[in-house]
Amino acid sequence: MERARTAFDHWMHRHHFTFRDTRGRNITVQCNLCLPKINILSTARDSTSNLKKHLECHSPCQMRKRQHTEMSEPEPLFLPPKRLKSAVWEYFGYLKDPGGTILVDGYPVCRMCRKKVSARSGNTSNMMHHLRDHHPKDFAKMNRKHSVPCRKRIRDAQSSDGPSNYGPSILENQMDESAEAKEAKADPTIYYQTQSRLNALVFNFIVEDVQPISILEQPGFRKLIEALSRGKKVMSRNAFVTRLDVAFDKMKGEIKAKLDKVQTLCTTADIWSVQDRSYFGMTCHWLEDNLERKSAALACTRIPISYTCETIIAKIQEIHSSYNIESKVQATVTDNGNNFVKAFKEFSSEDDQEVEDSRFEDLGSILCDGEMGGDFFLSYFLPPHQRCAAQTLNLIASKDLADAVSKGPSGKLHSSATAKCAAIWHKTHSSTEATEAMESIAKMTITVPCQNKWSSEYYAVNKLMSLTDSQLNELTEALGVSGFTPDETAYLTEYTDVFKPVAFALDLLQGEEKCFLGIVIPTLLTLKRKLEEKAANTRLFSKVIEDTVKAIDSGFKQVFDSSDARLATATMPQFRLWWLPEDEREALRAQLITEVVQVDQGTEETETNGGSVHEDDFFSYGPGSSGNKSGKREAAEEVWLYLQGTNKDLKCLNEFPGVKKVFIKFNTTLPSSSPVQQLFSNGANAVIPKGNHLSDEHFERVLLLRYNSKITTALE
């Protein structure tokens, strides 16, 4: 019985070996070059790589001859002298023997890679598969012109141009180069993937979509990938973890390199508890020279479920020091949680803390005796604290405003009206028929408001009140809930109109890319003014508005008094000093001039740091000395020109470099901690029971890689 053909049978160096036996998927051969020593070698039926390595190690001269042969002009290929029907023959041919006879041995040679392919009895399937798998673009071109009778065109081309050679076929050479380039760009056909490329795609899929790692072991997923990749294997869990560690190290190195070039940044921190676990998350944010905001996630690390303020402070310092940013953090933004507030109140090094009881200590005794304890070192690098303005305003709206409404004369009307709204939301959320009725009658979908988020409830009520009376009645009848009375409809309509500025202000403060600390004070002042204007025209909410304005003054007193927030606002071209009363503008203008001088001096010191200092530069007396330079006068002139301008675009700051530096310094701080909350929202899939096999360290790495994919190349 004739044995099956193998890759060894049409290998160009097979004459150096003698076939011995077939053993399962392998064959054994004897090396003729090693004689008289008997050297039996084994190789796969479809590969000659082991034999090639043997030749390279034991007979390098034979391999040099092979390389010389490959570099020389390849032998021409010819078509068999029989009728051809398949267009694939345009890419294959046979060699001629020394007598000029075409060697039709059933193994035509590929014109591109010179590899022999089995094609016995005129069957061209293997030729098609070879072209599809190894030369997909040529396969696509052949498919587009497969209806053209190929044999006559090929023979005509051969008779005029001679036999084809190594490289593209004759018909392709006749194509216009620009047309070929267009076809390549618009080619939507098969894209050949290697195993390493497949592993990268699967890895990115798990990280970008925060899929549980257990998906790698699910039979359905493995079958899907193997079918789509033509038999390639899905990476194992261990391979994924190894790749995860490498990608994380690369990502962290790139982020540290970016942060080393940044002068000022802010961080946001929050704690997320889920399934009896607590995670401490932190992100950092900075402004590029073009005033574009960049963000990066620094940590999402596990902490004890019963954490204390000391735990929080230790984590903040640990993360800041791991990225070498302790001295660059302008502020850390957090929510109003008691642990965060207490931690920063006790350990913060802000300048505005009380210093009446301060005294000097002997540093030597502190270091030797530990007199002040570990808390001294924890507080040393703690940055200033900035409370989340968006959450503060949300608390005012959901607590102070709601309490004022419920205790007012229209409290009962408010309760009955919102109860009917809640019934509609519950129906549409729990019933498919109710959802379809809503879409049919109101031509919209209703989303259930988020708990403890006042703006989502406001927009849900506003959606209902946008319906006509007939639509509202038809909807309540279809859902089987109590209809609204005219008084309730009028109340809710006035409610949505009066408190629309509050919802708009909340949306404004929750931004990230184009939201700056300098927008907080103008937003609050505008909100108060608009509410006071509404108070004059409302019949139900005048007392509620008064209480809400008082709550804003009380809740944001620290912001209104903050010099950082005031300077951040003054350096925004949209506001400058127009928001301030006339009698306060001069003081803030002088403060702005001082800041411009300081940032300019800081830049000069940075540029000259490490250089030699001349004696004349050290002393600042006499004509021409640095002490007589008009730095402050130039800063005052720049600030004056800036404040006189009317252009509200941020790009105008390029004309005032000193003011721009002050803008970057103070507006780097975000008014909201929402970025770190977005980091937590990405982790929900990875902590479900099937995904709990990820260790805390690997869970953190998956989240950080996903969040930082836009600013690093770790997932490319």
Side-chain angles (χ1 to χ4, degrees):
M1 180 178 177
E2 184 181 2
R3 65 179 179 86
R5 303 281 291 188
T6 64
F8 171 76
D9 295 321
H10 48 83
W11 187 37
M12 64 184 301
H13 292 298
R14 64 183 179 276
H15 58 280
H16 295 305
F17 300 88
T18 301
F19 178 82
R20 285 293 187 184
D21 193 13
T22 300
R23 297 181 180 178
R25 296 184 179 181
N26 295 342
I27 63 171
T28 56
V29 297
Q30 177 181 331
C31 179
N32 299 331
L33 299 176
C34 294
L35 293 174
K37 179 182 177 182
I38 305 299
N39 196 348
I40 304 298
L41 304 171
S42 176
T43 185
R45 293 165 58 91
D46 57 353
S47 173
T48 58
S49 59
N50 288 349
L51 306 183
K52 177 184 175 183
K53 292 177 182 177
H54 176 77
L55 283 181
E56 290 174 346
C57 295
H58 298 84
S59 302
C61 60
Q62 296 296 331
M63 298 309 296
R64 283 196 294 269
K65 290 180 181 179
R66 177 191 177 193
Q67 293 173 0
H68 176 75
T69 302
E70 290 178 347
M71 294 176 61
S72 61
E73 188 69 20
E75 297 181 61
L77 300 177
F78 300 87
L79 295 172
K82 63 179 181 178
R83 182 174 179 81
L84 302 177
K85 296 181 180 180
S86 176
V88 76
W89 281 105
E90 182 181 350
Y91 302 90
F92 290 86
Y94 289 103
L95 297 171
K96 282 186 177 182
D97 63 11
T101 304
I102 300 177
L103 297 174
V104 184
D105 57 354
Y107 287 90
V109 180
C110 176
R111 298 183 189 276
M112 275 69 70
C113 63
R114 312 298 286 187
K115 182 177 180 180
K116 286 189 175 183
V117 179
S118 176
R120 291 188 172 187
S121 303
N123 191 334
T124 60
S125 298
N126 290 342
M127 298 162 64
M128 287 284 193
H129 294 163
H130 173 84
L131 198 63
R132 180 195 65 189
D133 294 340
H134 299 281
H135 313 289
K137 290 186 177 180
D138 298 288
F139 181 73
K141 293 175 184 177
M142 182 196 69
N143 283 339
R144 283 196 291 270
K145 54 187 180 183
H146 71 280
S147 60
V148 179
C150 69
R151 189 174 186 276
K152 182 176 183 302
R153 295 184 62 187
I154 294 174
R155 292 203 178 281
D156 292 345
Q158 281 189 336
S159 62
S160 59
D161 297 336
S164 77
N165 52 13
Y166 183 84
S169 62
I170 296 173
L171 293 181
E172 291 170 17
N173 287 333
Q174 295 175 344
M175 297 176 62
D176 181 31
E177 184 177 355
S178 61
E180 188 174 287
K182 291 179 181 179
E183 287 180 355
K185 292 180 181 179
D187 187 7
T189 54
I190 300 169
Y191 180 65
Y192 179 72
Q193 302 289 359
T194 62
Q195 182 66 54
S196 60
R197 176 62 179 165
L198 176 64
N199 292 344
L201 291 173
V202 173
F203 178 80
N204 291 358
F205 162 71
I206 294 177
V207 172
E208 291 176 359
D209 293 345
V210 199
Q211 295 292 330
I213 193 175
S214 58
I215 196 174
L216 294 173
E217 300 170 347
Q218 295 177 3
F221 180 76
R222 299 183 70 90
K223 290 179 181 178
L224 173 66
I225 297 301
E226 289 172 7
L228 294 178
S229 62
R230 308 188 193 99
K232 293 180 176 61
K233 302 298 181 182
V234 180
M235 70 167 68
S236 65
R237 176 187 292 268
N238 291 337
F240 174 84
V241 171
T242 301
R243 195 181 190 103
L244 178 64
D245 294 340
V246 173
F248 178 80
D249 291 340
K250 180 181 179 182
M251 177 209 70
K252 188 169 183 179
E254 291 182 8
I255 291 179
K256 290 180 72 173
K258 290 178 183 293
L259 296 182
D260 287 342
K261 302 176 183 178
V262 177
Q263 298 297 322
T264 305
L265 54 84
C266 83
T267 55
T268 65
D270 201 356
I271 295 175
W272 177 45
S273 297
V274 59
Q275 295 185 357
D276 298 327
R277 297 181 178 187
S278 291
Y279 295 91
F280 183 89
M282 177 171 285
T283 62
C284 73
H285 311 267
W286 67 95
L287 293 175
E288 299 283 355
D289 189 62
N290 60 358
L291 304 183
E292 180 182 0
R293 187 177 292 281
K294 297 293 184 180
S295 303
L298 302 184
C300 184
T301 182
R302 180 86 175 269
I303 61 173
I305 192 69
S306 56
Y307 53 85
T308 62
C309 64
E310 287 81 7
T311 305
I312 294 174
I313 296 305
K315 280 297 177 185
I316 292 176
Q317 182 183 356
E318 175 188 342
I319 296 168
H320 285 178
S321 61
S322 66
Y323 286 90
N324 301 322
I325 59 174
E326 308 99 302
S327 60
K328 298 180 178 182
V329 180
Q330 184 73 11
T332 296
V333 186
T334 74
D335 60 17
N336 295 300
N338 291 332
N339 281 314
F340 278 114
V341 174
K342 179 182 177 182
F344 279 95
K345 184 177 180 180
E346 292 187 6
F347 297 106
S348 179
S349 58
E350 293 182 6
D351 296 336
D352 56 353
Q353 287 194 326
E354 295 182 0
V355 293
E356 287 81 355
D357 299 330
S358 62
R359 59 192 177 91
F360 292 101
E361 296 285 349
D362 181 10
L363 182 59
S365 63
I366 294 173
L367 296 176
C368 296
D369 304 331
E371 186 177 317
M372 294 188 70
D375 292 344
F376 170 80
F377 299 102
L378 286 176
S379 65
Y380 189 75
F381 290 115
L382 196 63
H385 183 214
Q386 176 69 38
R387 298 191 187 187
C388 177
Q391 192 198 29
T392 303
L393 185 57
N394 180 71
L395 289 173
I396 291 172
S398 57
K399 187 176 184 302
D400 297 271
L401 189 153
D403 289 346
V405 169
S406 60
K407 294 177 182 178
S410 57
K412 292 184 178 180
L413 191 61
H414 176 82
S415 299
S416 62
T418 53
K420 292 177 181 179
C421 292
I424 294 176
W425 299 330
H426 176 73
K427 279 278 187 178
T428 55
H429 178 66
S430 59
S431 171
T432 306
E433 295 179 357
T435 303
E436 293 176 352
M438 170 66 74
E439 294 177 352
S440 174
I441 297 171
K443 310 300 181 186
M444 66 172 67
T445 57
I446 295 293
T447 55
V448 179
C450 300
Q451 190 177 7
N452 299 326
K453 193 172 182 181
W454 179 87
S455 60
S456 66
E457 179 180 338
Y458 168 85
Y459 286 122
V461 173
N462 189 53
K463 264 193 174 183
L464 290 177
M465 291 303 102
S466 65
L467 302 177
T468 62
D469 292 340
S470 59
Q471 286 178 318
L472 206 54
N473 292 333
E474 185 180 358
L475 178 63
T476 53
E477 290 178 5
L479 299 182
V481 299
S482 302
F484 293 93
T485 65
D487 288 342
E488 290 171 342
T489 304
Y491 172 84
L492 291 177
T493 302
E494 186 172 343
Y495 175 87
T496 55
D497 177 65
V498 170
F499 296 109
K500 183 178 180 180
V502 179
F504 185 84
L506 274 169
D507 293 341
L508 206 59
L509 295 177
Q510 288 173 347
E512 179 180 348
E513 291 186 2
K514 296 183 179 180
C515 194
F516 307 100
L517 179 62
I519 206 173
V520 177
I521 293 179
T523 299
L524 297 175
L525 294 177
T526 305
L527 174 60
K528 289 170 56 180
R529 176 174 55 81
K530 288 185 177 293
L531 288 176
E532 290 167 351
E533 290 173 355
K534 297 282 187 181
N537 301 318
T538 181
R539 60 185 183 87
L540 298 173
F541 299 105
S542 57
K543 182 64 169 63
V544 176
I545 290 174
E546 181 182 345
D547 293 344
T548 303
V549 170
K550 290 180 179 178
I552 292 174
D553 288 333
S554 174
F556 288 97
K557 184 179 185 303
Q558 181 184 5
V559 177
F560 287 130
D561 296 339
S562 170
S563 60
D564 286 5
R566 293 164 72 88
L567 283 168
T569 307
T571 52
M572 291 196 67
Q574 186 178 0
F575 307 114
R576 304 185 197 241
L577 298 183
W578 300 321
W579 53 279
L580 269 178
E582 291 285 348
D583 56 340
E584 298 181 20
R585 294 183 180 180
E586 182 58 32
L588 188 56
R589 186 184 72 84
Q591 193 175 356
L592 179 57
I593 294 173
T594 302
E595 286 293 337
V596 171
V597 173
Q598 289 179 355
V599 296
D600 285 340
Q601 290 176 347
T603 304
E604 292 176 1
E605 290 176 2
T606 302
E607 292 175 351
T608 59
N609 188 25
S612 59
V613 180
H614 192 270
E615 181 178 328
D616 292 339
D617 296 327
F618 177 76
F619 296 106
S620 58
Y621 304 103
S625 64
S626 59
N628 289 337
K629 290 183 179 179
S630 55
K632 188 169 184 179
R633 185 165 61 251
E634 292 175 356
E637 182 179 355
E638 179 182 334
V639 170
W640 184 85
L641 290 173
Y642 163 73
L643 295 177
Q644 294 300 313
T646 57
N647 189 346
K648 296 184 178 182
D649 193 341
L650 279 179
K651 294 180 181 178
C652 75
L653 290 177
N654 293 324
E655 303 174 11
F656 311 100
V659 177
K660 181 180 178 180
K661 293 173 185 176
V662 179
F663 172 90
I664 293 176
K665 176 181 177 180
F666 291 103
N667 278 292
T668 292
T669 303
L670 283 169
S672 169
S673 61
S674 59
V676 73
Q677 296 168 5
Q678 295 172 9
L679 172 66
F680 291 143
S681 66
N682 295 333
N685 288 346
V687 293
I688 61 177
K690 288 186 178 181
N692 279 342
H693 300 297
L694 269 178
S695 67
D696 293 326
E697 181 183 11
H698 292 146
F699 168 69
E700 176 184 27
R701 294 185 172 192
V702 168
L703 288 189
L704 298 191
L705 279 170
R706 183 189 189 279
Y707 192 99
N708 297 326
S709 60
K710 293 182 179 180
I711 63 168
T712 65
T713 60
L715 290 184
E716 293 183 357

